[in-house]
Amino acid sequence: MISVHTDIPNGGPALSADEYKIMVLLVDDQAMVGEAIRRALMNEPNIDFHFCTRAEEALMVAEKTRPTVILQDLVMPGVDGMTLVRQYRATPTLADVPIIVLSSKEDATVKRDAFAGGANDYMVKLPDVIELVARIRYHSRSYINLLQRDAAYRALRESQQQLQQSNFELQRLTNTDGLTGIANRRYFDDYLAAEWKRARREKLELALLLIDVDYFKLYNDNYGHVAGDAVLRQVAQALEGSIMRPADLSARFGGEEFAMILPRTALDGAHAIGEKICKLVEAQQVPHERSAASQWLTVSIGAGCVVPGEEQPISELIEMADRRLYMAKQQGRNRVVWQDA
């Protein structure tokens, strides 16, 4: 009788090994052996039997029937039994299926070679019915338990991965500004503090840009708050487009103000990036009729850079960039100020 093997589920309640059908595949060229084993198993509950007489078809039949145990004759015409055992072990879907080799004689050397080749058990045919059934059930139960453990492990890994993905998404949402999609002020503060400590420890330069959208209140008054929100998103895109290295971070500082943290960046490098941002924003050619700086939307930028001292507060870098941002506005906006007057 041919039975379709029931795959072990990836989820849901696990069934006991006894609740799964046992599929026995006998590979033997002797019809008499096949009939004897069929009769031995015919009244056994939950055991299905399949018989293959051609060695060259054994691998294909085994992959199709998905047995829980293979009874393999050692001496067959065409392909010998040990070659088939090695082929089973080399096939991913059959690699762990228990194999009981059937031999015509009790021989220690043959046993040794059979176990070395990948067999799980050894019986002299025709075996005693009680012993045969017991060994079939034992090996099948072990194999089904292995499949259940693998299925449970896969389900556990999927659950862990889903949880990890949820945590990543939660962390992303926690650190992201909802309007612009870049880092929010909370993450900016944490990131700047971490980079400040690193720069102080390694005695490296740390640069900061503070960016303000020019005449943003007038833009909102003239075009409306929906357009104003769209403009803030466009400025954020320009900031992201100016990032040169993975360590650089752009963030929304508050309202229409943005910031960019530039680790290991000298002041002239910060100035160059600030100039790039100014050009990218103006190149978007967002009309701003009420701006005194340009017919297009523009930004003003203040750049600061320090090598943090042991007792130096982080506020000094922010105040430096903020002071130069104020100077950029005083000087007509749409520019970068990177030095004190």
Side-chain angles (χ1 to χ4, degrees):
M1 176 168 109
I2 300 176
S3 170
V4 178
H5 178 73
T6 303
D7 288 331
I8 304 299
N10 286 333
L15 301 176
S16 69
D18 291 336
E19 293 178 272
Y20 283 108
K21 279 286 187 183
I22 292 174
M23 165 58 79
V24 178
L25 171 62
L26 170 65
V27 181
D28 195 306
D29 62 313
Q30 299 180 55
M32 177 190 70
V33 175
E35 179 61 17
I37 292 180
R38 185 191 71 81
R39 288 178 178 273
L41 301 178
M42 64 185 299
N43 295 320
E44 292 294 325
N46 295 330
I47 295 183
D48 289 345
F49 176 69
H50 195 88
F51 182 33
C52 176
T53 59
R54 298 171 60 87
E56 61 272 20
E57 296 177 358
L59 192 64
M60 178 192 68
V61 172
E63 288 189 287
K64 182 177 180 181
T65 58
R66 303 291 296 277
T68 60
V69 65
I70 297 173
L71 304 180
Q72 176 63 55
D73 183 24
L74 281 184
V75 181
M76 296 188 69
V79 182
D80 69 272
M82 283 312 305
T83 298
L84 284 174
V85 170
R86 288 189 288 271
Q87 289 178 355
Y88 299 143
R89 291 293 174 247
T91 303
T93 55
L94 303 172
D96 297 317
V97 175
I99 301 171
I100 302 174
V101 296
L102 301 177
S103 178
S104 58
K105 59 183 178 178
E106 188 83 24
D107 186 300
T109 302
V110 176
K111 279 186 180 182
R112 178 199 64 193
D113 293 342
F115 287 121
N120 299 85
D121 208 342
Y122 183 101
M123 300 187 76
V124 176
K125 59 181 181 181
L126 288 166
D128 176 79
V129 172
I130 294 176
E131 182 181 2
L132 174 66
V133 172
R135 295 196 186 201
I136 285 173
R137 289 194 180 279
Y138 171 78
H139 288 296
S140 293
R141 184 179 296 110
S142 297
Y143 177 59
I144 291 169
N145 285 338
L146 173 65
L147 293 180
Q148 286 183 311
R149 286 196 299 271
D150 287 347
Y153 178 74
R154 285 195 300 271
L156 174 63
R157 287 297 299 137
E158 288 174 6
S159 176
Q160 290 172 334
Q161 289 167 357
Q162 290 171 1
L163 178 61
Q164 187 178 38
Q165 184 62 38
S166 297
N167 288 339
F168 283 154
E169 180 65 12
L170 179 60
Q171 185 177 34
R172 186 189 70 80
L173 293 174
T174 301
N175 296 334
T176 301
D177 177 64
L179 176 63
T180 62
I182 62 175
N184 57 20
R185 176 61 185 270
R186 174 182 175 179
Y187 189 63
F188 166 84
D189 289 338
D190 291 343
Y191 195 84
L192 182 60
E195 290 301 326
W196 180 268
K197 291 178 182 177
R198 186 200 307 274
R200 182 171 58 195
R201 182 175 62 251
E202 300 178 7
K203 301 187 184 313
L204 297 171
E205 291 170 308
L206 176 62
L208 174 68
L209 302 179
L210 289 183
I211 303 110
D212 188 76
V213 180
D214 293 330
Y215 301 107
F216 184 70
K217 184 178 184 304
L218 294 177
Y219 186 92
N220 264 344
D221 292 344
N222 192 38
Y223 297 99
H225 290 282
V226 173
D229 288 347
V231 156
L232 294 178
R233 285 191 287 269
Q234 287 179 276
V235 171
Q237 291 172 4
L239 294 180
E240 289 289 283
S242 67
I243 286 178
M244 305 296 292
R245 302 168 306 173
D248 298 344
L249 177 78
S250 61
R252 188 178 180 191
F253 196 69
E256 70 272 22
E257 285 193 338
F258 296 84
M260 183 172 287
I261 301 171
L262 304 169
R264 303 188 182 193
T265 302
L267 189 57
D268 57 347
H271 173 227
I273 293 174
E275 292 287 356
K276 181 179 180 180
I277 293 170
C278 283
K279 291 177 181 177
L280 284 173
V281 172
E282 191 168 21
Q284 291 176 341
Q285 295 190 347
V286 177
H288 191 348
E289 296 175 352
R290 300 183 66 178
S291 172
S294 170
Q295 62 178 317
W296 312 117
L297 188 86
T298 59
V299 295
S300 297
I301 301 177
C305 180
V306 297
V307 177
E310 287 299 324
E311 303 299 327
Q312 188 176 9
I314 196 170
S315 58
E316 286 191 12
L317 177 59
I318 299 174
E319 290 168 359
M320 181 187 299
D322 191 51
R323 182 172 64 252
R324 291 169 181 172
L325 172 59
Y326 179 79
M327 292 170 60
K329 293 179 181 180
Q330 291 295 105
Q331 293 175 17
R333 293 179 167 84
N334 190 22
R335 68 192 65 221
V336 182
V337 171
W338 55 297
Q339 293 177 331
D340 292 328

